[in-house]
Amino acid sequence: MPMPVLRGLLVVAFFALCAFYLVPVYVPRPAFIPGFAPPPDMWPRTVSLIGILLGLLALILAFRGGAPAEEAVETDGSSTKRMVLRFVGLVLAFGLFLAALPFVGFLIAIILLTFTMVLMTGERNYRVWIALLSVGGPVFLLLFFNSALGTQFPKGALLKTLGF
């Protein structure tokens, strides 16, 4: 199977898993939602559906031959086996994120997930940027969603015992 086709299939599979299993199961939908407020699952569902569409677009381009020709580079590690292993690692990381969420809370779990995702890209040289992205990004987004949008995230048993 050509690499662009496999890449498109993996993107569609990942976002379909998020849209049709993870979001309905893990994003609670309250019984009453005011008319002016979007439901809590709106953004996760929107991002997942956009991911599915982009994966389908990648598949269409791969089948039509519209994808740019990729030069084989010996050092990039993008073999089919490595790509499948990274996908399995991605699914496992999300599973661990969901398992850790009730215990450590959203902030610590998302910091660990972001750190794992950055490391799975293969980048190891920019340690300061990796730390800023892994810690600063989730903290900034959590503050934004809490203060600007009033969205609450799970605290977790660990943070509750520490008094946060």
Side-chain angles (χ1 to χ4, degrees):
M1 179 178 300
M3 188 69 70
V5 173
L6 179 64
R7 186 178 298 132
L9 285 174
L10 290 176
V11 168
V12 169
F14 172 73
F15 282 109
L17 173 75
C18 290
F20 302 117
Y21 177 70
L22 295 178
V23 172
V25 171
Y26 291 101
V27 180
R29 195 175 178 109
F32 172 72
I33 300 173
F36 61 86
D41 65 346
M42 183 186 92
W43 288 114
R45 209 176 275 281
T46 302
V47 169
S48 297
L49 293 176
I50 289 172
I52 290 171
L53 290 175
L54 289 174
L56 290 173
L57 178 64
L59 273 174
I60 291 170
L61 289 175
F63 283 125
R64 290 186 64 208
E70 295 183 12
E71 295 180 18
V73 178
E74 294 296 324
T75 60
D76 72 346
S78 62
S79 68
T80 304
K81 180 181 176 183
R82 184 173 296 252
M83 186 178 290
V84 171
L85 286 174
R86 283 186 180 174
F87 178 72
V88 169
L90 179 78
V91 172
L92 285 175
F94 272 102
L96 289 174
F97 167 76
L98 293 174
L101 192 62
F103 302 109
V104 298
F106 180 79
L107 182 60
I108 295 173
I110 199 69
I111 287 172
L112 293 173
L113 180 67
T114 306
F115 182 70
T116 303
M117 292 301 120
V118 171
L119 291 181
M120 286 184 76
T121 65
E123 187 57 56
R124 306 278 194 285
N125 296 331
Y126 303 104
R127 290 184 172 93
V128 173
W129 284 107
I130 291 171
L132 285 174
L133 180 67
S134 299
V135 176
V139 168
F140 172 73
L141 285 175
L142 186 77
L143 289 174
F144 173 74
F145 275 93
N146 275 338
S147 60
L149 301 175
T151 304
Q152 298 296 316
F153 292 97
K155 299 270 191 251
L158 176 67
L159 291 180
K160 286 180 186 175
T161 58
L162 295 176
F164 291 106

